[in-house]
Amino acid sequence: MLIKAAINGGRGRDEHPAIPLTDAEIATAALAAVQAGADVVHAHVRTADGGQTIEPSAVAAMVRAVKAADPSIVVGTTTGLWTCSGHDERMRHLAAWPADALPDFASVAFSEEGAAEAAVLVLERGMILESAVWHLREVPALLASPTLHQNVRILIEPEDEDPAAAVAHSRAIAAALREAGVTAPLLYHGYDATAWPVVRAAIEDGVEVRVGFEDMLTLDDGTPAPDNTAMVALARSLELQLTA
């Protein structure tokens, strides 16, 4: 089972003191997550004021820090519109990411304006593409995209706040994708109260999972997670329990 460690997202230290924010902290957390059993790492570049950015020099600095910690780490980042002023600026930033410090992969959310165009550019720049859908209604846009069959995985990210609803929604999206002929691996992930129930559903369904501070602040039993590595280790433990 592939485990992606989403090590920070947009979280702040007011939510958890161990959120990695600086490039050095991101690199340390990425290395620790991989050593704990994560296969790939997803990190958001953070600004000095705690914001998020995809500005070229900032992305390159993060990637270089992670690769300096261990060149074999597979690291990706977001292309979310919340990191910039809008789609036009996103495209300018993506086009300017330095070729010698590109993330290994980049995520494009098909809930956003210009997603199909951004996905094409990710591939043209030589990165691995993963596309995301947040709701069943976004599936047609993804299915119509010219990059549909070039995704390393499809991220299913239900925004439902009720755990049972989030699990059902994940499975409905997965079914719609499979019925449409999508063969790429699928990954489910939730947020806060839905995070661990969605992880459990993903393991039961034989799809990929995502854990880490971007998605959850606690372990499966509700106790605070000390760090990203504890969540990765727990996901591996749940894999053994639920597939035995």
Side-chain angles (χ1 to χ4, degrees), residues 191-238:
Y191 186 77
D192 283 348
T194 72
W196 286 109
V198 168
V199 166
R200 285 176 167 272
I203 296 169
E204 291 167 358
D205 292 357
V207 302
E208 299 176 356
V209 305
R210 193 175 96 165
V211 296
F213 280 133
E214 179 170 354
D215 294 347
M216 67 272 280
L217 298 171
T218 67
L219 301 177
D220 194 27
D221 62 3
T223 59
D227 50 32
N228 284 291
T229 61
M231 292 179 269
V232 171
L234 177 54
R236 283 289 176 217
S237 177
L238 287 173

Side-chain angles (χ1 to χ4, degrees), residues 18-240:
I19 304 292
L21 299 178
T22 68
D23 294 335
E25 290 166 352
I26 289 170
T28 298
L31 179 60
V34 169
Q35 291 174 336
D39 298 284
V40 300
V41 174
H42 175 79
H44 290 203
V45 181
R46 306 299 294 271
T47 59
D49 64 359
Q52 302 173 67
T53 184
I54 56 170
E55 188 276 326
S57 63
V59 170
M62 184 274 287
V63 171
R64 289 184 177 118
V66 171
K67 296 296 185 178
D70 184 343
S72 72
I73 295 174
V74 179
V75 62
T77 196
T78 183
T79 64
L81 290 182
W82 63 86
T83 64
C84 54
S85 64
H87 176 62
D88 289 344
E89 185 176 48
R90 167 169 65 183
M91 293 297 285
R92 291 194 299 272
H93 281 336
L94 288 178
W97 284 0
D100 63 346
L102 289 171
D104 295 295
F105 64 93
S107 307
V108 178
F110 272 74
S111 59
E112 295 183 338
E113 173 196 358
E117 186 182 10
V120 168
L121 184 55
V122 166
L123 291 171
E124 287 179 344
R125 293 298 324 278
M127 290 173 280
I128 296 168
L129 171 67
E130 53 178 30
S131 296
V133 288
W134 299 352
H135 195 280
L136 192 59
R137 63 175 173 263
E138 296 156 15
V139 169
L142 175 62
L143 295 177
S145 66
T147 58
L148 174 64
H149 297 297
Q150 295 170 273
N151 283 285
V152 69
R153 65 184 59 86
I154 304 295
L155 312 179
I156 296 174
E157 310 178 348
E159 294 192 297
D160 311 79
E161 296 183 2
D162 175 72
V167 168
H169 197 173
S170 296
R171 288 173 166 159
I173 294 172
L177 292 171
R178 291 301 188 222
E179 288 167 8
V182 173
T183 58
L186 306 179
L187 180 152
Y188 304 169
H189 74 88
Y191 186 77
D192 283 348
T194 72
W196 286 109
V198 168
V199 166
R200 285 176 167 272
I203 296 169
E204 291 167 358
D205 292 357
V207 302
E208 299 176 356
V209 305
R210 193 175 96 165
V211 296
F213 280 133
E214 179 170 354
D215 294 347
M216 67 272 280
L217 298 171
T218 67
L219 301 177
D220 194 27
D221 62 3
T223 59
D227 50 32
N228 284 291
T229 61
M231 292 179 269
V232 171
L234 177 54
R236 283 289 176 217
S237 177
L238 287 173
E239 178 189 15
L240 294 175

